Structures are given as structure tokens and as C-alpha cells.
């Protein structure tokens, strides 16, 4: 049973560019969340998708957007990249919106903005 | 504003010793308190989690102690092993395992 998978593993972009990161949830999971983890910090919640809609959003600007597909996979898009966007981007999945389910994290995509 | 405060920032423990990491929170609406372990280059992996209706939960060598009145919770790692060397994050959320607020992490080093 594959866990949460993310692609690509590493990515280097320059300021002003746009980037798309991809996530496939754990089998049986239908809810996907994205987190940003700056070096030496804890992950920070970006947003969560369920039933192809954004359900919750953290304190991130509109440059960060996402999408969830009918097969529950998800994309994170970041426009107008700036140096501060350099971080490990983590995808987490869970089943449903109930209160008793665990979030499982993927290995992350390391984004470097030059 | 940091919703969950974690200490210490780093911890060095002898093999076989007890590692203790502490967290504090302010939002009384939080109802789910997990601990995650993260190795370099990997995503966080859930270790153990607790809800506020119990004061302690134990799974193998890992124990969470929860003090609702003090709004604090801690992770105890008994018989610490070199393989436990990693960064540990506490977290908290409302309405179960949704939007998680993470602490800043504790880098644990277990020396042989």
C-alpha cells in the first residue's frame, strides 16, 4: 500500500516564476492538506482540499493556490515566487472530515528560489 | 503568533535515558494533540496522539502526558536509543486531525 507520494523531489526556480507541485494521497484517503516547512521550523498549514474544494486555508497569500482532482490527487501552485518561498512543501492526506482520523505526510518537495 | 510553543530546541540524551519534550498551547478549542518524528529529508511521521479527555497515553517506549488545566503536554521517550535521534514536533488542532498547528521542533540526539 503506497503512502503519500509527492513530485518532484527537488525543484529550483528563480524569483517571479511560477511552480506546480503534485501530491497523490494514501490509498483510501480523500482529503489532502498542504504545508510549508521553512528550514529549522515546524510545518505551517497552507490549505486543505476535500471533494475538489478548498475547505480550510491558513495565513498564506493568494499567490498560493491549489486544486484537487476527481481521483483525490492534488496540486499546489505558487505564482510570482520570491526568495521567502524557499522551503520544504509537504502534502498530507487523511480520510474524510471526521475528528478521529490521522494525517499522513509525504516526503515533501524541496523548493529553492534563487 | 505561535499557537503551540515547544521546548527545548535541542536535547542530548545518553542511550537508555529518558527524553522529555514539552509543549504549551493557548487555544482551549484544540482537541487533538499529536507528536510527529521527522528524519532529515523525510516528511513528519505520526508517533502518538492524545485527546483532552485522557491525561496520559502510552505506546511502547513513547508516552504523552497531558495537563488540560495547565494547557501543556509532553512527550516522554523511555530507554532512548540512537535510532531515536531525529527532530520531534508537537502539534495541535481543532476538530480532530485537520489544520495542524506545529511547534518549532526539538532536535534530539541520543549518544551511545
Amino acid at each position: 500500500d503506497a503512502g503519500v507520494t509527492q513530485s518532484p523531489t527537488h525543484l529550483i526556480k528563480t524569483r517571479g516564476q511560477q511552480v506546480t507541485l503534485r501530491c497523490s494521497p494514501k490509498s483510501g484517503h480523500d482529503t489532502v492538506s498542504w504545508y510549508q516547512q521553512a528550514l529549522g521550523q515546524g510545518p505551517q498549514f497552507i490549505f486543505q482540499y476535500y471533494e475538489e474544494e478548498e475547505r480550510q486555508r491558513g495565513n498564506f497569500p493568494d499567490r498560493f493556490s491549489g486544486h484537487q482532482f476527481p481521483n483525490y490527487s492534488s496540486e499546489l501552485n505558487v505564482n510570482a515566487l520570491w526568495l521567502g518561498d524557499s522551503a520544504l512543501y509537504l502534502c498530507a492526506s487523511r480520510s474524510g472530515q471526521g475528528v478521529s482520523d490521522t494525517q499522513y505526510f509525504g516526503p515533501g518537495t524541496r523548493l529553492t528560489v534563487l | 503568533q505561535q499557537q503551540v510553543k515547544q521546548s527545548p530546541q535541542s536535547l542530548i540524551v545518553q542511550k537508555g535515558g529518558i527524553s522529555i519534550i514539552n509543549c504549551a498551547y493557548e487555544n482551549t478549542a484544540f482537541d487533538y494533540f499529536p507528536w510527529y518524528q521527522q528524519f532529515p529529508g523525510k516528511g513528519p511521521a505520526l508517533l502518538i496522539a492524545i485527546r483532552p479527555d485522557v491525561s496520559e497515553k502510552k505506546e511502547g517506549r513513547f508516552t504523552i502526558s497531558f495537563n488540560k488545566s495547565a494547557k501543556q503536554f509532553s512527550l516522554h521517550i523511555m530507554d532512548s536509543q540512537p535510532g531515536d535521534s531525529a527532530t520531534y514536533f508537537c502539534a495541535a488542532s481543532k476538530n480532530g486531525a485537520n489544520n495542524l498547528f506545529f511547534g518549532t521542533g526539538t532536535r534530539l540526539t541520543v549518544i551511545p
Side-chain angles (χ1 to χ4, degrees):
Chain A
D1 175 26
V4 179
T5 59
Q6 294 185 242
S7 64
T9 304
H10 297 88
L11 205 51
I12 299 175
K13 292 285 188 178
T14 56
R15 282 176 295 175
Q17 284 189 312
Q18 177 264 344
V19 68
T20 297
L21 310 181
R22 295 176 176 83
C23 171
S24 292
K26 183 178 169 65
S27 178
H29 287 185
D30 56 9
T31 301
V32 173
S33 298
W34 287 91
Y35 290 79
Q36 180 194 65
Q37 186 176 20
L39 198 61
Q41 299 296 317
Q44 284 197 303
F45 176 74
I46 303 174
F47 43 54
Q48 181 187 78
Y49 277 83
Y50 173 67
E51 291 185 336
E52 302 179 47
E53 290 187 14
E54 184 182 295
R55 298 291 178 165
Q56 297 184 56
R57 189 178 183 92
N59 188 25
F60 279 81
D62 292 345
R63 299 188 296 111
F64 289 78
S65 63
H67 188 76
Q68 185 178 35
F69 298 94
N71 67 352
Y72 310 122
S73 67
S74 176
E75 289 182 348
L76 164 65
N77 301 291
V78 187
N79 294 321
L81 286 167
W82 61 299
L83 299 180
D85 295 330
S86 295
L88 180 69
Y89 287 86
L90 295 163
C91 172
S93 74
R94 57 174 295 196
S95 177
Q97 296 283 290
V99 298
S100 60
D101 300 305
T102 302
Q103 285 197 55
Y104 294 86
F105 283 84
T109 293
R110 173 72 62 188
L111 172 65
T112 302
V113 182
L114 302 177
Chain B
Q1 180 184 2
Q2 190 73 28
Q3 297 247 11
V4 179
K5 296 181 180 179
Q6 182 172 349
S7 64
Q9 188 174 4
S10 63
L11 183 61
I12 300 174
V13 173
Q14 291 272 3
K15 178 182 175 182
I18 302 173
S19 304
I20 301 174
I21 305 171
N22 301 299
C23 283
Y25 65 97
E26 287 298 325
N27 191 336
T28 55
F30 287 150
D31 62 3
Y32 176 73
F33 303 88
W35 285 89
Y36 282 84
Q37 178 189 57
Q38 186 175 30
F39 293 102
K42 304 291 185 183
L46 179 69
L47 264 180
I48 185 172
I50 198 169
R51 298 194 181 275
D53 53 343
V54 297
S55 60
E56 185 174 283
K57 183 175 181 180
K58 183 176 181 179
E59 289 184 1
R61 295 186 294 111
F62 301 94
T63 299
I64 298 180
S65 296
F66 185 83
N67 186 330
K68 188 174 181 178
S69 60
K71 292 185 286 186
Q72 295 175 347
F73 58 111
S74 60
L75 175 69
H76 295 230
I77 306 174
M78 311 299 288
D79 187 27
S80 298
Q81 299 297 312
D84 296 330
S85 296
T87 299
Y88 292 81
F89 292 96
C90 61
S93 71
K94 296 178 281 188
N95 300 319
N98 282 305
N99 174 6
L100 289 168
F101 292 92
F102 281 83
T104 50
T106 296
R107 178 175 287 186
L108 171 66
T109 303
V110 182
I111 52 179

